[in-house]
Amino acid sequence: MSPRFTKSTRGGADAAKVIVVIADVAAVIIVLWILMDLLKANRGNDLVQVVRDVARWLASWSHDLFTFDERWARVVAGYGLAAVVYLVVGHLVAGRLRRH
């Protein structure tokens, strides 16, 4: 037997999947940039530049939020906060959509 879904429930589940994927991709890009920065990736490389630019845009509200003395701590805290917020908010919104 297949589960019975109303049209709105199915639409909510589909929207929830899209939101989760977008939030997860955003978080992965930001975490990838954190790793590249910590490992001192070659900033002349095109892939590194694209990841940096996208991560900077995604975390534009948080990347210079903290003023630690150590650069690595500012990067991890500022960009890490953005990644966590994208994950938490994205998954909370998706969970609400699935319930309604």
Side-chain angles (χ1 to χ4, degrees):
M1 289 199 285
S2 63
R4 293 182 146 181
F5 290 108
T6 64
K7 187 174 184 176
S8 64
T9 304
R10 200 171 323 130
D14 291 344
K17 287 178 189 176
V18 170
I19 289 171
V20 165
V21 168
I22 291 170
D24 289 351
V25 168
V28 165
I29 290 169
I30 293 170
V31 169
L32 185 59
W33 170 244
I34 292 170
L35 291 173
M36 287 179 168
D37 187 74
L38 293 176
L39 297 172
K40 299 186 185 336
N42 176 9
R43 295 193 183 206
N45 182 283
D46 290 339
L47 175 64
V48 175
Q49 288 178 7
V50 168
V51 171
R52 182 197 63 208
D53 292 344
V54 173
R56 185 169 203 123
W57 181 79
L58 288 169
S60 60
W61 58 273
S62 70
H63 71 41
D64 283 332
L65 190 62
F66 300 99
T67 57
F68 296 113
D69 291 335
E70 298 292 329
R71 183 181 182 289
W72 68 267
R74 286 191 308 271
V75 169
V76 171
Y79 285 93
L81 174 65
V84 169
V85 167
Y86 279 113
L87 286 175
V88 170
V89 171
H91 285 261
L92 285 175
V93 169
R96 299 280 286 172
L97 284 174
R98 284 187 190 109
R99 279 182 253 164
H100 291 5

